[in-house]
Amino acid sequence: MTIFKKKRKEALQSEIRKQKEQKKRMKQAAKLPVGNLLDMLDSFKEGISPAIVEEQMETYGKNTLTNKEPGGVAKRLFDAFINPFTVILMVLVVISYVTDVVLMPEKKQDWTTIIIISLMVLISGVLRFVQETRSSKAAEKLNEMIENTTRVKRLGEQAKEIPIDEVVVGDIVYLAAGDMIPADMRLFQTKDLFIQQSSITGESAPVEKVAKTETQDKPFIEYTNLVFMGSDVVSGSAAGVVVAVGDDTLIGSISQEIQEKEETNFEKGMNNVSWLLIRFMMVMVPVVFFINGFTKGDFVHALMFAISIAVGLTPEMLPMITTTCLAKGAYRMSKQKVIVKNMNSIQNFGAIDILCTDKTGTITQDKVVLQYNLDVNGNEDDRVLRHAFLNSYYQTGLKNYIDVAIINRTKVKHMYEDIVDRYEKIDEIPFDFNRRRMSVVVEDKQKKVQLITKGAVEEILSICSFVELDGQVIELHDDIRDKVVRVVDELNKEGMRVIAVAQKTNPREVDAFGVQDEQAMVLIGYLAFLDPPKPTTKAAIKALQHYGVAVKVLTGDNDLVTKAICEQVGMDGSDILLGSDLEQMSDEEVKTKVDEVDIYAKLSPQQKSRLVKLMKEKGHAVGFMGDGINDALAMNQADIGISVDTAVDIAKESADIILLEKDLMVLEKGIIEGRKTYGNMIKYVKMTASSNFGNMFSVLVASAFLPFLPMDPVQLILLNLVYDLSCTAIPWDHMDASYLLKPRTWNADGISSFMKYFGPISSIFDILTYVLLYFVICPMMCGGLLFHEIDSNSTRLLYIAVFQTGWLIESMWTQTFVIQLIRTSKIPFIQSRPSAMLLLFTTISVVIITVLPYVPMGGYFELTPLPLIYFVWIFGFMILYFVSVSVMKKLYIKKYGELL
């Protein structure tokens, strides 16, 4: 057995032992009485002593998954230098070493090709490494602004929020709806607790958890008193003790499998482009080698030339330019208060043509104000407010904007202290998204117990059998029910959200309350809230539509309120689909509606996710913006999930993009950045592909008809190096405003057609240059003789040097000119100006190659000065080239709709 296999086997055995120990520990935790378990973990129900926190962390480890951390310097270096293109160049270095050094006598050994190719690999790798390092550090700084926390109680301290990575074994953690489970825990207190653990078990439905001690022997994942890191609380509340953290958790033991991700559309597109260019190179290089070998009779020199062609065809800067474009996009977006968690998602941001969003806080100001607290007759009644306050104040789950508005209104009316002093909380029935209501049980100083429920009007009406009317409790008959609905509808039409309040006195024995108690209740009134639209929303929606993005509102709120708010911001409220409508429709029926309907109301989380899925199936690129528990499913389903830094933990974890401002205007800027990023990446790909395609035709013609190589291998490699350096400025280039108006999805299909249109043009001008050089310029400098008429070896060498120098300069000019011509569909320099950096880099590149024959270093590359008449001819060619490419651009745009 080899050392490698032995180490691998030992690592596998160690992992198996670790998993067995973990299962044993979790089973033990589930079966032990709570007191015994706390003793074993050096903890108490009041929490562990702060004095032993460090000791616990040293003993059991930190609460982080090591394999979730970004790769170190070594990994970034490896990723920067190892990709299909640089591997090809490294292979060519080896071949060049064999042909130019190993097989040559010492005096004829030539390291030039090896040095230049190695330099290209080094520049590409170093630039990519530097960009990714800078991007990684920037992302770390940005992500420090977003911190997931959990509520922990420690001995002698009040329960407080602490960062999840500071949780240690033995900590007492309190859970509520919307929380992520921070570690593997044993529960000792639960109240209607439902956990979504699909990431662990694959179960789509939430699982109920209870605090009772387990007695049966079964897989520990099935124990109902255990919850696991990575799952989240759908509804209810609980308290538990941390049993395992970090890599010792269940998700820690399988995290590598969990973290495996499917290729995104962006990654698939990049791979398709890469292999298209590589396949093209693999076909052309052998053809060039054999043609030159047979026509020139020198297969060694033909091999060297073929290697140079391979170098020229290899777009080794593509990974670096892609990384730079994405990194610049992330940086620019951070300036717009947008945090990019996943760099590849930037391009997806620019691709979306549908943005789904919730209503509260996005369309509206996120400042819900309680306008009215009304009895059933529609009269102002502080008693309704008092009951609503008790419900909001004493619930342990997430206090949403409704609860905050109720508490604030109570404080304004100076009722707060009096109510708090008079009542004590006994129990609660937490909110969940299926019931759409929540209840608390309180007791006053006279020992009167009340069950108080608030929630959606239709849900409250469904559990009420009685109504309090004019101070008397009577049966809730249809006439009163219809009256309530009419009053609520009128308030909804004014854009107000209405919830109902009900109560029941002395319902049953204390500590035995559940959902089943929410029946035969007394309706006492309702509350009307106003959350007006943001002043910027109407303009933002109009701006997004201007950029080809349809805005669709997907909300759990009622349809009348949603319609009123949406119409105020310019959306079409004539057609609304409700969750109940969707339940009756097949997927195909829904697909026929998604393009027509912009407002969807009374949706469950599953219905939001279904809508996003069907929009994608219809060919749309969908973004989803949400901040609540009920948005996480849809965000995961979307092409790009967008959240805000104030969102619940689950929503932030599901997001690719996090906004520091919950404003649609910020999204508009992000979408523009995404399209700029894509545009600059596709520029390089199409420029390189068309240039390479044209060069191959030129090389094939030259190989077939010229008695010598059109360019020396080292000259060809030099040309490629200087051209690639000029292309490093492309990520800083401008994009035309008209290009940014359409969503941009990655598509490699257009590259072939682009190559066929623009590649042959450069070939035609290359051939014209061949004719000019061979029949005019070279004879002019060689005594008026053509190559086959020359007997002198030195004159022949001068003939070849003039020809190769001329084609080198012309190639640099045309390649640089192509960058300026193809970067825009408009007239370059006049209607569309390049960025200063791109103009500077391309100008320097042209100057270097043009001046090189006139300086001593030019002799090293076997270049020679050319007469002025050559540049007059080439300048004329460039004018003709400009006209030809401009005409081809118009023909291409006419056929395919756009250039890039």
Side-chain angles (χ1 to χ4, degrees):
M1 181 183 292
T2 65
I3 293 174
F4 175 75
K5 286 184 177 179
K6 185 177 179 181
K7 286 186 175 180
R8 190 174 177 184
K9 184 177 180 182
E10 287 173 354
L12 186 61
Q13 289 173 340
S14 173
E15 187 62 30
I16 292 170
R17 283 195 300 273
K18 178 182 169 184
Q19 290 186 19
K20 285 181 177 177
E21 289 168 7
Q22 193 237 6
K23 290 177 183 177
K24 184 177 178 182
R25 187 202 289 186
M26 295 307 294
K27 280 190 174 185
Q28 187 180 24
K31 292 181 176 182
L32 275 176
V34 173
N36 294 359
L37 177 61
L38 291 171
D39 288 342
M40 186 179 84
L41 300 175
D42 294 324
S43 186
F44 308 90
K45 280 196 175 181
E46 295 77 22
I48 63 169
S49 169
I52 68 165
V53 169
E54 290 295 328
E55 183 184 330
Q56 294 287 83
M57 195 173 288
E58 287 179 13
T59 303
Y60 297 102
K62 196 171 181 181
N63 194 28
T64 56
L65 302 180
T66 53
N67 51 8
K68 276 192 174 181
E69 295 175 1
V73 174
K75 185 179 184 302
R76 286 203 300 275
L77 272 172
F78 181 85
D79 291 342
F81 283 93
I82 304 301
N83 59 69
F85 303 126
T86 52
V87 168
I88 289 170
L89 291 181
M90 289 174 188
V91 170
L92 296 178
V93 166
V94 174
I95 296 172
S96 294
Y97 176 73
V98 173
T99 57
D100 293 359
V101 178
V102 175
L103 299 179
M104 289 288 176
E106 187 173 344
K107 290 184 178 180
K108 289 189 176 181
Q109 289 178 355
D110 187 358
W111 290 83
T112 308
T113 302
I114 299 167
I115 292 170
I116 294 179
I117 299 177
S118 300
L119 188 62
M120 294 169 73
V121 173
L122 185 65
I123 291 171
S124 173
V126 168
L127 286 174
R128 187 178 183 192
F129 173 75
V130 169
Q131 280 294 344
E132 291 196 345
T133 301
R134 289 175 60 188
S135 175
S136 176
K137 287 181 178 178
E140 285 172 15
K141 287 181 181 177
L142 290 170
N143 283 326
E144 284 172 6
M145 301 166 71
I146 302 171
E147 189 171 58
N148 289 332
T149 60
T150 192
R151 192 163 175 253
V152 169
K153 172 82 170 68
R154 288 177 177 165
L155 198 62
E157 297 178 353
Q158 292 290 323
K160 62 181 180 181
E161 296 285 330
I162 68 169
I164 283 178
D165 61 4
E166 293 180 13
V167 171
V168 298
V169 169
D171 263 330
I172 302 302
V173 176
Y174 292 94
L175 302 172
D179 289 345
M180 282 199 313
I181 308 299
D184 287 0
M185 295 169 51
R186 159 69 192 276
L187 303 172
F188 58 77
Q189 177 184 314
T190 58
K191 181 66 181 177
D192 296 322
L193 182 68
F194 283 85
I195 299 292
Q196 177 61 263
Q197 54 184 35
S198 57
S199 61
I200 305 290
T201 64
E203 298 172 272
S204 57
V207 177
E208 185 173 15
K209 297 286 184 175
V210 293
K212 68 177 183 180
T213 302
E214 292 282 357
T215 56
Q216 296 182 345
D217 191 18
K218 54 186 176 181
F220 73 94
I221 194 84
E222 296 179 12
Y223 286 137
T224 58
N225 62 359
L226 297 179
V227 290
F228 304 100
M229 184 183 196
S231 50
D232 38 75
V233 181
V234 175
S235 63
S237 58
V241 59
V242 173
V243 179
V245 295
D247 290 339
D248 289 336
T249 61
L250 175 61
I251 198 170
S253 67
I254 57 174
S255 59
Q256 286 187 351
E257 292 154 33
I258 288 176
Q259 288 185 89
E260 284 180 4
K261 295 180 180 178
E262 292 183 11
E263 273 190 322
T264 64
N265 287 333
F266 169 74
E267 290 164 337
K268 287 177 182 175
M270 285 301 299
N271 286 335
N272 289 340
V273 168
S274 300
W275 287 109
L276 172 69
L277 297 175
I278 288 171
R279 284 195 299 271
F280 180 63
M281 184 200 70
M282 300 286 279
V283 170
M284 294 303 297
V285 168
V287 172
V288 170
F289 168 66
F290 284 113
I291 289 178
N292 273 295
F294 286 116
T295 58
K296 313 297 183 297
D298 186 349
F299 279 94
V300 174
H301 212 61
L303 178 61
M304 292 167 61
F305 187 68
I307 289 171
S308 305
I309 293 297
V311 174
L313 286 176
T314 304
E316 63 282 343
M317 290 295 176
L318 181 58
M320 186 282 300
I321 285 176
T322 301
T323 302
T324 305
C325 284
L326 293 173
K328 279 198 66 62
Y331 176 75
R332 284 195 294 248
M333 287 170 71
S334 71
K335 295 294 184 184
Q336 305 294 340
K337 299 185 178 179
V338 178
I339 295 174
V340 180
K341 286 176 63 182
N342 173 13
M343 274 217 305
N344 286 350
S345 65
I346 294 172
Q347 193 274 320
N348 292 336
F349 212 166
I352 62 173
D353 60 345
I354 289 180
L355 174 67
C356 298
T357 178
D358 62 354
K359 175 178 65 67
T360 304
T362 307
I363 304 293
T364 62
Q365 292 183 19
D366 210 3
K367 293 180 181 177
V368 176
V369 178
L370 176 55
Q371 292 288 101
Y372 306 112
N373 42 280
L374 309 171
D375 63 18
V376 177
N377 286 322
N379 301 316
E380 194 79 19
D381 189 343
D382 285 346
R383 187 164 170 273
V384 176
L385 177 59
R386 183 174 72 244
H387 281 80
F389 170 80
L390 288 167
N391 180 285
S392 295
Y393 180 78
Y394 283 117
Q395 67 155 310
T396 57
L398 290 173
K399 282 185 170 56
N400 60 24
Y401 305 109
I402 297 294
D403 298 310
V404 172
I406 291 169
I407 293 169
N408 288 341
R409 180 65 176 269
T410 310
K411 288 179 179 178
V412 168
K413 290 206 167 199
H414 305 292
M415 298 165 57
Y416 182 92
E417 291 81 4
D418 180 54
I419 299 174
V420 172
D421 289 342
R422 285 172 51 196
Y423 291 89
E424 180 184 351
K425 177 184 171 183
I426 303 300
D427 205 345
E428 76 174 291
I429 307 168
F431 177 87
D432 68 59
F433 292 100
N434 294 319
R435 287 167 38 247
R436 297 169 66 208
R437 60 179 184 264
M438 73 86 51
S439 301
V440 298
V441 182
V442 295
E443 183 180 66
D444 64 13
K445 293 187 184 275
Q446 285 73 45
K447 301 300 180 184
K448 183 177 81 171
V449 177
Q450 282 183 291
L451 172 67
I452 303 171
T453 304
K454 77 174 191 305
V457 174
E458 59 269 33
E459 301 296 340
I460 296 297
L461 285 173
S462 70
I463 60 170
C464 287
S465 302
F466 305 96
V467 60
E468 187 172 304
L469 203 59
D470 299 325
Q472 296 194 7
V473 175
I474 62 173
E475 188 176 344
L476 179 61
H477 49 74
D478 289 342
D479 288 346
I480 297 176
R481 193 182 298 270
D482 292 342
K483 179 182 178 181
V484 169
V485 171
R486 283 196 303 274
V487 173
V488 170
D489 283 351
E490 288 302 315
L491 292 167
N492 286 163
K493 287 175 183 176
E494 294 176 26
M496 295 190 195
R497 180 179 178 185
V498 182
I499 65 170
V501 182
Q503 67 90 25
K504 183 160 61 174
T505 304
N506 296 323
R508 63 185 296 177
E509 292 180 13
V510 174
D511 291 333
F513 293 101
V515 175
Q516 67 275 9
D517 291 293
E518 295 175 332
Q519 60 175 323
M521 299 193 70
V522 181
L523 177 67
I524 61 173
Y526 27 79
L527 307 166
F529 302 86
L530 182 64
D531 183 11
K534 291 179 179 177
T536 59
T537 298
K538 190 170 185 177
I541 290 174
K542 192 173 181 180
L544 288 170
Q545 290 170 345
H546 177 68
Y547 285 103
V549 180
V551 178
K552 297 186 183 292
V553 174
L554 277 61
T555 179
D557 208 347
N558 98 40
D559 51 321
L560 292 175
V561 173
T562 303
K563 178 181 178 181
I565 294 294
C566 288
E567 286 181 340
Q568 288 178 46
V569 297
M571 295 182 70
D572 181 11
S574 60
D575 196 1
I576 298 180
L577 269 182
L578 306 181
S580 55
D581 299 327
L582 292 175
E583 287 297 317
Q584 308 301 318
M585 298 169 70
S586 68
D587 285 354
E588 291 306 314
E589 288 173 323
V590 175
K591 283 182 187 179
T592 62
K593 288 285 188 180
V594 292
D595 288 331
E596 303 168 11
V597 180
D598 291 335
I599 304 172
Y600 303 82
K602 291 186 178 178
L603 300 178
S604 68
Q606 290 75 18
Q607 288 169 336
K608 289 183 180 182
S609 179
R610 181 190 176 203
L611 278 169
V612 171
K613 178 173 177 284
L614 295 177
M615 289 175 191
K616 287 173 64 179
E617 286 180 5
K618 202 167 179 191
H620 293 290
V622 184
F624 191 98
M625 182 174 175
D627 63 353
I629 313 163
N630 56 336
D631 297 319
L633 281 175
M635 288 168 68
N636 275 322
Q637 185 66 246
D639 291 294
I640 180 168
I642 305 161
S643 192
V644 290
D645 64 332
T646 54
V648 297
D649 294 344
I650 308 162
K652 285 191 285 188
E653 282 298 310
S654 302
D656 301 296
I657 301 284
I658 296 180
L659 310 182
L660 299 182
E661 277 184 8
K662 195 175 182 183
D663 191 341
L664 291 180
M665 279 295 191
V666 178
L667 291 181
E668 177 207 354
K669 294 169 185 173
I671 286 167
I672 293 171
E673 284 301 332
R675 293 178 187 176
K676 284 180 181 177
T677 300
Y678 170 80
N680 281 326
M681 284 191 291
I682 202 69
K683 272 181 197 176
Y684 175 75
V685 170
K686 288 191 171 182
M687 287 171 188
T688 303
S690 61
S691 180
N692 288 350
F693 188 67
N695 284 344
M696 284 310 92
F697 273 116
S698 307
V699 167
L700 286 174
V701 170
S703 299
F705 295 104
L706 288 177
F708 50 82
L709 292 176
M711 199 182 295
D712 203 64
V714 72
Q715 295 167 354
L716 198 55
I717 292 171
L718 173 68
L719 173 69
N720 194 55
L721 173 64
V722 176
Y723 172 74
D724 278 344
L725 288 174
S726 70
C727 287
T728 58
I730 288 176
W732 282 265
D733 193 24
H734 306 310
M735 292 302 305
D736 293 337
S738 58
Y739 183 83
L740 303 176
L741 295 178
K742 287 175 62 178
R744 301 289 167 182
T745 54
W746 190 269
N747 183 5
D749 297 340
I751 294 173
S752 296
S753 58
F754 196 90
M755 288 165 61
K756 293 169 187 174
Y757 262 74
F758 294 98
I761 295 179
S762 63
S763 292
I764 291 169
F765 282 88
D766 280 341
I767 293 168
L768 286 174
T769 304
Y770 292 165
V771 172
L772 171 69
L773 288 165
Y774 194 85
F775 292 103
V776 179
I777 305 299
C778 291
M780 183 188 301
M781 299 185 68
C782 297
L785 300 174
L786 294 175
F787 186 79
H788 66 276
E789 298 171 341
I790 300 172
D791 295 324
S792 167
N793 190 51
S794 60
T795 308
R796 281 195 166 203
L797 289 176
L798 176 61
Y799 199 104
I800 293 171
V802 171
F803 188 98
Q804 291 178 342
T805 303
W807 191 42
L808 175 71
I809 292 173
E810 184 268 348
S811 294
M812 189 71 243
W813 283 30
T814 53
Q815 283 187 309
T816 306
F817 217 39
V818 159
I819 293 176
Q820 302 298 341
L821 288 169
I822 295 179
R823 59 166 292 277
T824 174
S825 58
K826 298 180 179 180
I827 301 173
F829 301 108
I830 298 172
Q831 294 178 327
S832 175
R833 295 180 182 179
S835 67
M837 186 172 288
L838 182 63
L839 185 59
L840 176 66
F841 272 50
T842 50
T843 303
I844 289 173
S845 299
V846 168
V847 169
I848 287 172
I849 294 298
T850 305
V851 171
L852 191 60
Y854 300 89
V855 298
M857 187 180 286
Y860 183 78
F861 294 98
E862 298 183 8
L863 301 175
T864 189
L866 297 175
L868 181 62
I869 189 65
Y870 167 78
F871 292 100
V872 174
W873 275 98
I874 292 299
F875 187 74
F877 282 177
M878 289 302 104
I879 294 173
L880 191 57
Y881 187 65
F882 176 87
V883 174
S884 302
V885 173
S886 299
V887 170
M888 195 58 69
K889 274 167 60 174
K890 287 187 177 180
L891 293 173
Y892 186 88
I893 292 169
K894 185 177 180 180
K895 183 171 182 179
Y896 295 101
E898 58 187 357
L899 186 65
L900 296 175

